[in-house]
Amino acid sequence: MSTTEARRARRTRAFASLSLAMTRGLLRDRAAVFFTLLFPLMFLLLFGALFKDDNSEPAHLVQVGDVKMLDSLPEGERAGLREVLEITKTDGSRAARDEALEKLRKGDTDAVVHQGDGPGALVLRFSAADQVRSATIRGVLDSVVQHANQRATGQPPAYRLTAGQVEDESTKPIQFLTPGLLGWAVAMSGVFGSAFNLVSWRRKRLLRRLWLAPVGAGSVIGARVGVTLATAMVQTALFLGVAVTPYYGLRLSGSWWLCVPLVLCGTLAFLSIGLLVGSFAKTEESANGLSQIVILPMAFLSGSFFPLEAAPQWVRTVSEFLPLKHLATAMQDVLSRGEGWGAALPVMGGLLAFAAVMTLIASRLFRWDAA
C-alpha cells in the first residue's frame, strides 16, 4: 500500500470512528435527543392540533327586541348570515338592553344591535377589545344594509365583486406550519449541536487528544457534518411522517422531495453558524446562550411560527437577510405550493454560499485547546 493510500485509509478510519462516537454520544444523551428530535416535533403536534380546524366560530350578536331589517330578511340571506353570526334575540325592554351592553363590556358577547329612531335606523354597539370580531360584524351588517337598500329601491347593484382565496379551498394551516417548523428544527439542531459539541470536547481535552493524534481538523468537522446531516434527515422523516397522517392532513405537492436537498443545504448553513459559535465560546453555558441569541430572534423574524405579511416593514426587511426565512419560504414552495427547481435552486445556492463564508470565518477562529 502506498503512502497516499495509507494516509487516505487512516483518514477514513478516523472519520468513521469520530462519526460513530458522536452518534453514540447523541443517542446516550437523553436531553440532546429530546431537544433535537422530540422538542421541535412537539410544536408541530401542538400547533397542528390547535389550527387543525381553520373554520373560526361565528361571532355572537345580541339582538335586543325587534329589528325590522333583520326580522324581514329573506330565508336565503338569513341562512347565509347564520354561517358568520350567531344571533340571540332578547325582548326589547330597557333592562334587556342594559344587560346586553353589560355583557358586551365584559366580553361575554361580541356585539349588540337594536332598533334606532325610525324604521330604517339600526344601532350597532361593539367593543374595541377585539377589533377583528368587531370589523367582521360591521362588515356583515354593512352588507345586509346595502342589500336591504337595493331591495327598497328596486335597482340592481352597478358593480359586483367576486372574491376567493388563491389556494385550493381544502388548504389547511398544516400546509404552512410544517415547512416553517421544520426549518426552525433544522436550524436549532445545526447550531446547538455543533456549538455545544465543540465547546464540550474542547473543555474535556478531547480536541487536544485528537490534535496530538494523527487526526486532521477536516476529519473532526466532517464527522460533525455527517452526524448533523443524518439527524436532519431523521427530523424531516419524523415531521413529514406525522404531518401527512389523516389527523393533520398535510398534502404534499408534486415536487415535495426537493425538501430533502433544501434541508441538507439549510443544515450546512446553520451548522456553520454553530461552528462559528463553538470556535470562540469558552463554556457550554456561553455556547448555549449565544446559540439562543442567534436562533430565537431569527425564528420569530423569519416567519417560522407566523406569517410576516402583517409585520412591520422593518421586520420584513431584516428577514430578507436571515437564512432561515429563505429556507422556510422555499420549503413552503416545494411542499405546499407545487413549486419546483426554480424556487429551490437559488435558495440552495445561497445557503451553500452562506455556509462557505461562515465556515471560513470559523476556521480562522478554531482552537484545539481551551488555553
Side-chain angles (χ1 to χ4, degrees):
M1 181 182 295
S2 65
T3 304
T4 303
E5 293 176 345
R7 188 181 299 113
R8 185 181 297 112
R10 285 197 301 270
R11 290 176 179 174
T12 302
R13 288 194 297 270
F15 173 80
S17 300
L18 288 170
S19 298
L20 183 59
M22 290 182 181
T23 303
R24 286 176 174 173
L26 174 63
L27 296 178
R28 289 171 181 171
D29 190 342
R30 295 181 180 179
V33 172
F34 174 78
F35 284 103
T36 301
L37 298 177
L38 300 181
F39 183 66
L41 188 61
M42 287 171 56
F43 277 79
L44 179 68
L45 295 174
L46 176 62
F47 289 166
L50 288 177
F51 300 109
K52 180 175 179 292
D53 185 5
D54 58 346
N55 296 321
S56 58
E57 295 182 357
H60 186 212
L61 175 68
V62 176
Q63 177 184 330
V64 180
D66 295 331
V67 177
K68 182 177 180 180
M69 190 193 68
L70 293 178
D71 294 337
S72 62
L73 282 177
E75 184 56 34
E77 291 187 22
R78 187 180 297 276
L81 191 63
R82 283 196 292 264
E83 295 181 0
V84 292
L85 289 182
E86 179 185 347
I87 301 178
T88 301
K89 187 175 181 179
T90 66
D91 63 77
S93 65
R94 181 70 182 180
R97 182 186 302 183
D98 292 341
E99 182 182 355
L101 291 175
E102 184 62 24
K103 287 183 178 181
L104 179 60
R105 293 188 186 96
K106 293 180 178 180
D108 295 332
T109 190
D110 298 314
V112 174
V113 64
H114 60 85
Q115 187 73 44
D117 297 332
L122 196 68
V123 178
L124 174 68
R125 297 296 182 90
F126 55 86
S127 173
D130 191 341
Q131 297 186 7
V132 175
R133 288 270 184 173
S134 300
T136 300
I137 296 174
R138 292 180 64 183
V140 170
L141 291 186
D142 279 340
S143 176
V144 172
V145 170
Q146 291 177 13
H147 281 81
N149 287 332
Q150 291 165 13
R151 286 196 302 272
T153 60
Q155 297 295 324
Y159 303 97
R160 292 181 182 272
L161 172 65
T162 301
Q165 67 184 47
V166 67
E167 299 89 358
D168 185 89
E169 293 294 334
S170 61
T171 298
K172 300 179 180 180
I174 195 68
Q175 302 289 139
F176 307 98
L177 287 173
T178 303
L181 292 177
L182 178 56
W184 167 68
V186 167
M188 189 171 65
S189 175
V191 174
F192 278 87
S194 55
F196 193 87
N197 258 136
L198 279 183
V199 174
S200 177
W201 282 31
R202 186 185 296 119
R203 285 176 57 83
K204 292 177 181 178
R205 299 299 181 91
L206 290 177
L207 285 182
R208 180 178 177 83
R209 295 175 187 174
L210 292 174
W211 182 26
L212 297 176
V215 178
S219 297
V220 178
I221 301 300
R224 181 67 257 176
V225 169
V227 172
T228 306
L229 291 177
T231 302
M233 289 295 95
V234 174
Q235 287 178 317
T236 303
L238 286 175
F239 264 72
L240 296 185
V242 169
V244 298
T245 58
Y247 180 78
Y248 291 102
L250 174 66
R251 298 175 60 185
L252 297 175
S253 66
S255 301
W256 67 269
W257 56 270
L258 285 174
C259 73
V260 173
L262 276 170
V263 165
L264 294 177
C265 293
T267 300
L268 293 176
F270 291 104
L271 179 63
S272 66
I273 297 177
L275 293 176
L276 179 60
V277 172
S279 294
F280 61 80
K282 295 183 179 181
T283 63
E284 289 90 341
E285 291 77 11
S286 64
N288 181 63
L290 290 171
S291 299
Q292 292 278 10
I293 291 174
V294 171
I295 290 300
L296 284 182
M298 188 184 299
F300 286 100
L301 293 175
S302 299
S304 294
F305 297 103
F306 53 84
L308 297 179
E309 284 76 8
Q313 182 58 47
W314 71 267
V315 173
R316 285 178 283 170
T317 301
V318 170
S319 70
E320 293 298 326
F321 297 92
L322 303 177
L324 182 53
K325 190 263 185 182
H326 298 283
L327 174 62
T329 301
M331 293 276 285
Q332 195 175 106
D333 287 339
V334 301
L335 281 175
S336 304
R337 295 173 176 163
E339 299 287 341
W341 284 105
L345 201 57
V347 175
M348 291 166 57
L351 291 172
L352 291 177
F354 178 86
V357 173
M358 297 298 289
T359 302
L360 178 61
I361 298 174
S363 66
R364 301 297 177 90
L365 301 174
F366 181 80
R367 292 175 289 111
W368 289 93
D369 204 312

